[in-house]
């Protein structure tokens, strides 16, 4: 009798939950309709292609297809790790990734803080628009501008040096200049766009906190240190964790366009290597294995960073 009563109570609770869920779905149906295109995009273009990762464990051939190709397990990974290029590729990719984290990632935060201090809205919006524009310029154009500025054959900078009696610098062929060029181009193109999320977070800071800080005698600098930065700290942490997910993605198009035989020693990275082996040489399984290795590193970094963020008292991403 007691068990029957418990079962009836569970059924009633289940029916009540189902009814509440249906009411919520019906009430917010237009929001779900608007969400549908985004969900379909991720399902079709992000999740469905993940099935193709399995060819990393095959000796895949387009002629025999996915089901007709032989399974070889981790053979491609063993081959890749034993290749003499592995150490060079990992070193070049890791150095550029570290440069991105230490030099590029903080700049949008700094720019957003500076823009937040501007009180004249017209000037503020003008500056914002100007620093957003480079984001919409393709890497082909950006690299083309760099060549126009720094080439020894009519480059603006070298012509100025020559006009003052100096010797022209062949920076585009100098491997020591390759990484500064990559980071400099990235900063110029994407820093302004990266400020959007931080400016949105700054807009949500309670103004009463600033008023309280003023009453306590805090100037603009102390207000930024003790009010502004703590208010956007969670946003910074979340974006850093997400950035670590693509830690080894240092930008194929930009690097591919900047590569030449003279700087390949410091410029060859996983992405250009995958292009060479996968597209140019048609070794699809091997190149997929290399890319999968990158993805696994990204997942490990995200999980680790999220764990440490939660240990430090932050919310993390999950």
């Amino acid at each position: 009798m007691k068990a029957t009563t418990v079962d009836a109570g569970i059924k009633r609770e289940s029916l009540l939950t189902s009814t509440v869920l249906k009411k919520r779905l019906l009430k917010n149906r237009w929001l779900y309709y608007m969400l549908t295109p985004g969900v379909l995009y991720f399902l079709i273009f992000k999740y469905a292609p993940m099935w193709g990762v399995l060819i990393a464990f095959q000796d895949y051939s387009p002629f025999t297809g996915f089901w007709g190709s032989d399974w070889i397990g981790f053979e491609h990974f063993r081959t890749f790790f034993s290749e003499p290029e592995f150490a060079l590729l990992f070193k070049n990719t890791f150095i550029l990734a570290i440069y991105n984290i230490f030099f590029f990632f903080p700049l949008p935060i700094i720019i957003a803080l500076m823009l937040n201090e501007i009180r004249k809205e017209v000037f503020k919006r003008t500056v914002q628009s100007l620093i957003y524009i480079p984001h919409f310029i393709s890497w082909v154009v950006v690299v083309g501008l760099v060549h126009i500025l720094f080439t020894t054959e009519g480059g603006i900078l070298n012509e100025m040096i020559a006009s003052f009696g100096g010797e022209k610098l062949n920076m585009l062929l100098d491997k020591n200049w390759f990484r500064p060029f990559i980071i400099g181009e990235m900063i110029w193109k994407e820093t302004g766009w990266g400020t959007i999320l931080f400016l949105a977070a700054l807009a949500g800071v309670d103004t009463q906190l600033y008023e309280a800080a003023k009453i306590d005698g805090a100037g603009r600098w102390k207000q930024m240190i003790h009010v502004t930065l703590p208010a956007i700290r969670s946003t910074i942490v979340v974006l850093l964790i997400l950035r670590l997910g693509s830690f080894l993605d240092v930008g194929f198009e930009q690097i591919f366009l900047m590569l030449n035989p003279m700087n390949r020693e410091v410029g060859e990275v996983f992405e250009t290597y995958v292009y060479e082996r996968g597209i140019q040489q048609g070794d699809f399984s091997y190149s997929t294995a290399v890319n999968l290795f990158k993805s696994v590193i990204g997942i490990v970094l995200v999980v680790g960073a999220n764990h440490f963020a939660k240990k430090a008292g932050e919310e993390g991403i999950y």
Side-chain angles (χ1 to χ4, degrees), residues 43 69 81 118 147 160 168 193 197 203 208-209 224 246 248 312:
L43 288 175
S69 300
F81 296 146
I118 298 176
H147 277 76
M160 290 177 62
K168 292 184 178 181
W193 189 254
L197 289 176
Q208 292 181 358
L209 295 175
M224 184 180 68
S246 56
L248 296 181

Side-chain angles (χ1 to χ4, degrees), residues 1 3 31 36-37 41 48 62-63 68 79 85 87 98-99 104 107 135 145-147 156 159 187 220 257 272 296 313:
M1 184 70 178
L31 294 177
T36 302
Y41 167 79
F63 302 102
T79 302
E85 294 95 343
I98 289 293
Y99 282 2
F104 172 69
L107 279 177
H135 170 77
L145 291 173
V146 170
H147 277 76
I156 297 173
E159 291 300 322
I187 289 172
R220 298 303 303 174
L257 292 169
T272 55
V296 170

Side-chain angles (χ1 to χ4, degrees), residues 3-23:
T4 305
T5 305
V6 172
D7 291 341
I10 293 174
K11 287 181 180 179
R12 281 196 301 271
E13 186 177 350
S14 177
L15 287 171
L16 182 61
T17 303
S18 176
T19 303
V20 171
L21 179 61
K22 287 178 181 179
K23 286 182 178 179

Side-chain angles (χ1 to χ4, degrees), residues 199-219:
L199 286 172
L202 288 170
V205 179
D206 190 352
T207 55
Q208 292 181 358
L209 295 175
Y210 292 110
E211 296 297 329
K214 285 180 182 179
I215 293 172
D216 290 338

Side-chain angles (χ1 to χ4, degrees), residues 120-178:
K120 291 186 177 181
E121 284 297 320
V122 175
F123 181 70
K124 181 177 180 180
R125 293 182 183 279
T126 302
V127 172
Q128 284 181 260
S129 299
L130 289 174
I131 63 176
Y132 289 169
I133 289 172
H135 170 77
F136 301 100
I137 301 175
S138 73
W139 279 117
V140 175
V141 176
V142 173
V143 174
L145 291 173
V146 170
H147 277 76
I148 291 172
L149 289 171
F150 296 100
T151 182
T152 55
E153 300 176 2
I156 297 173
L157 181 63
N158 276 310
E159 291 300 322
M160 290 177 62
I161 293 174
S163 67
F164 287 104
E167 186 178 350
K168 292 184 178 181
L169 302 174
N170 200 350
M171 291 181 283
L172 295 175
L173 296 180
D174 189 345
K175 65 180 182 180
N176 295 320
W177 281 95
F178 178 80

Side-chain angles (χ1 to χ4, degrees), residues 7-70:
D7 291 341
I10 293 174
K11 287 181 180 179
R12 281 196 301 271
E13 186 177 350
S14 177
L15 287 171
L16 182 61
T17 303
S18 176
T19 303
V20 171
L21 179 61
K22 287 178 181 179
K23 286 182 178 179
R24 286 181 178 177
L25 290 174
L26 185 62
K27 180 181 178 181
N28 301 310
R29 62 187 182 279
W30 294 111
L31 294 177
Y32 290 108
Y33 291 154
M34 294 172 64
L35 189 66
T36 302
V39 172
L40 290 176
Y41 167 79
F42 280 97
L43 288 175
I44 295 171
F45 296 104
K46 299 296 183 181
Y47 287 95
M50 289 175 66
W51 178 261
V53 169
L54 293 176
I55 69 173
F57 306 97
Q58 290 183 314
D59 185 15
Y60 177 76
S61 171
F63 302 102
T64 56
F66 179 81
W67 300 110
S69 300
D70 296 328

Side-chain angles (χ1 to χ4, degrees), residues 257-309:
L257 292 169
M258 290 293 294
L259 274 180
N260 58 61
M262 302 301 293
N263 60 26
R264 190 169 292 273
E265 180 185 346
V266 297
E268 191 78 60
V269 295
F270 287 128
E271 289 158 302
T272 55
Y273 184 71
V274 166
Y275 170 77
E276 180 184 341
R277 293 296 297 265
I279 303 300
Q280 294 184 337
Q281 299 181 21
D283 199 346
F284 301 112
S285 290
Y286 184 81
S287 58
T288 302
V290 176
N291 239 356
L292 183 57
F293 165 73
K294 281 176 48 190
S295 300
V296 170
I297 295 296
I299 292 173
V300 171
L301 288 173
V302 167
V303 173
N306 190 74
H307 173 75
F308 285 116

